[in-house]
Amino acid sequence: MATTQLDVEYLFTLNASVAQGRRGLIPGGPTGSRYIAEVTGGDFAGPRLSGTVALPAGDWVHLRDDRSMHLDVRVLLVTDDGESILMTYNGIGVPDEDGVNQIRTAPRFETGAEAYAWLNNVQAVGIGRSVEGGVTYEVYALT
């Protein structure tokens, strides 16, 4: 029988700021336009980890003809205790009637930090939206 509900554990809320303007714009490609959205900072906080978004970080966005976008993101998280975690994800953003992108992602993590090694085996889901100057996500581990 198909599952109609997924069990998840809340990991953190991520707030990321993005440089304004479309740098590295490649218009009119065979499947739409592409640009690199430079992530310039941010923070994340949850019950098991919190910290800041470090550089380098960015989103290699594929703008589709139907106004949706495919995301390809790499973000370096630095925890409050100084550990580094690479968070990568793909996802889809679809603008709602107000022009706010509703975003769904599938984050994965890489770290050598013993305290956060449990993240190396997590498949997460992110539920987010565009906000003034960036994006915000709630990130959950599938359990």
Side-chain angles (χ1 to χ4, degrees), residues 48-49 79-81 83 85 111 113-120:
R48 297 174 71 183
L49 68 161
T79 62
D80 288 340
D81 57 350
E83 301 292 355
I85 302 166
T111 186
E114 187 174 320
Y116 302 103
W118 56 273
L119 282 168
N120 292 325

Side-chain angles (χ1 to χ4, degrees), residues 70-122:
H70 176 264
L71 309 175
D72 179 5
V73 179
R74 293 158 185 86
V75 177
L76 180 61
L77 305 177
V78 177
T79 62
D80 288 340
D81 57 350
E83 301 292 355
S84 295
I85 302 166
L86 175 64
M87 182 172 82
T88 62
Y89 58 88
N90 287 293
I92 299 292
V94 178
D96 63 18
E97 61 277 353
D98 296 323
V100 174
N101 283 304
Q102 300 301 316
I103 305 167
R104 304 298 182 257
T105 66
R108 292 182 41 194
F109 305 94
E110 294 179 34
T111 186
E114 187 174 320
Y116 302 103
W118 56 273
L119 282 168
N120 292 325
N121 295 315
V122 166

Side-chain angles (χ1 to χ4, degrees), residues 5 12-13 18 24 31 33 39-40 58 67-68 78 87 91 97 105 131:
Q5 180 175 311
F12 53 82
T13 298
V18 178
T31 58
S33 298
V39 176
T40 58
R67 296 184 47 229
S68 69
V78 177
M87 182 172 82
E97 61 277 353
T105 66
V131 295

